[in-house]
Amino acid sequence: MLKITPYMGPLVVIVSIAGLWFPILGYFMLLVFAAIFLIAPFRGRWFCGNLCPRGSFMDFWVGRISGKRKIPKVLKSYWIRIPLFMLMMVFMGYRLMNTQGLVNQIGMILVIMCLTTSSIALILGVTIAPRTWCTFCPMGTLQSIIGVNKYPLLVDIDKCIKCYKCEKVCPMHLNIVEITHNPDCIKCGRCIDICPKDALSFGKSTKNS
């Protein structure tokens, strides 16, 4: 992860809370969306593990009080994630069309969206695991689809001793050893840092199978 990653968390709190009084802060969400669309085609969910304010907040703040249970596999299902993404886009689009282009109203809609999703993420983060929301986050799902085979995590089988330390530190609870590449890998690099045999690395993009 980047050196600034642990310090990104307060931004989501500022937008969610201060934004209720200063709606213009909601436009920060547009910067997030722009970054996602610029990065995902080349590095998949790299944004989630390095620049996402909510992800940082969940990892380094909520992680201190989280139950740290196993994330339910059902939440990773695209049967849940795709409908949720479509529902959120339709709802937000409908709300935005009724703003008549007023700057503060648009900003407030973005603030409310940030506050609502962050509240859900907080509840799930405390009761289950910090990155529970991230497993079915609509923006995370979009990134995993756009950058499905980009900047994959690779495992050198000859070096791997299957100590599973990588899976213990993975915030997304991925099966790293058995599945050498997963589109929901957020490229945080914690598994690489902890591997005692240097068996993990990020490689070049792979072609769609």
Side-chain angles (χ1 to χ4, degrees):
M1 71 183 73
L2 302 178
K3 291 183 178 180
I4 64 170
T5 303
Y7 306 103
M8 299 292 292
L11 290 175
V12 74
V13 179
I14 292 172
V15 172
S16 298
I17 305 302
L20 296 174
W21 288 271
F22 305 99
I24 196 72
L25 291 173
Y27 285 86
F28 174 75
M29 297 294 292
L30 297 183
L31 294 177
V32 170
F33 295 154
I36 286 174
F37 282 108
L38 288 173
I39 295 173
F42 304 98
R43 293 210 168 187
R45 294 192 67 172
W46 183 91
F47 179 88
C48 295
N50 295 274
L51 292 176
C52 178
R54 180 182 293 135
S56 173
F57 181 72
M58 300 310 295
D59 277 340
F60 299 102
W61 294 83
V62 176
R64 300 176 183 179
I65 59 174
S66 173
K68 295 184 179 178
R69 298 179 176 86
K70 194 70 175 178
I71 299 175
K73 290 184 178 180
V74 66
L75 296 180
K76 301 179 182 181
S77 170
Y78 278 92
W79 290 102
I80 290 179
R81 297 164 66 176
I82 296 299
L84 178 62
F85 172 79
M86 296 177 64
L87 179 63
M88 180 174 286
M89 292 301 101
V90 170
F91 179 72
M92 188 171 70
Y94 173 77
R95 292 291 303 278
L96 290 174
M97 286 192 297
N98 290 320
T99 61
Q100 298 179 340
L102 296 177
V103 173
N104 277 352
Q105 287 190 25
I106 294 175
M108 183 56 74
I109 288 174
L110 295 172
V111 167
I112 294 300
M113 181 182 70
C114 182
L115 177 60
T116 301
T117 53
S118 295
S119 297
I120 296 172
L122 178 60
I123 294 171
L124 294 174
V126 171
T127 58
I128 303 178
R131 288 276 185 166
T132 303
W133 163 262
C134 301
T135 59
F136 62 97
C137 167
M139 291 298 102
T141 297
L142 180 63
Q143 290 176 81
S144 68
I145 293 174
I146 294 176
V148 61
N149 291 314
K150 306 302 180 181
Y151 201 52
L153 178 66
L154 305 177
V155 180
D156 187 330
I157 302 300
D158 293 330
K159 291 183 179 180
C160 179
I161 58 174
K162 294 190 176 181
C163 62
Y164 297 100
K165 288 183 178 180
C166 55
E167 296 188 0
K168 291 178 181 178
V169 299
C170 177
M172 296 294 285
H173 295 182
L174 302 180
N175 295 324
I176 297 173
V177 176
E178 283 75 18
I179 303 175
T180 56
H181 174 55
N182 189 306
D184 280 323
C185 170
I186 59 175
K187 328 295 182 183
C188 65
R190 297 178 202 181
C191 54
I192 294 177
D193 292 339
I194 202 170
C195 180
K197 296 296 182 178
D198 295 324
L200 299 170
S201 63
F202 290 119
K204 295 181 180 180
S205 302
T206 57
K207 296 181 180 180
N208 292 323
S209 57

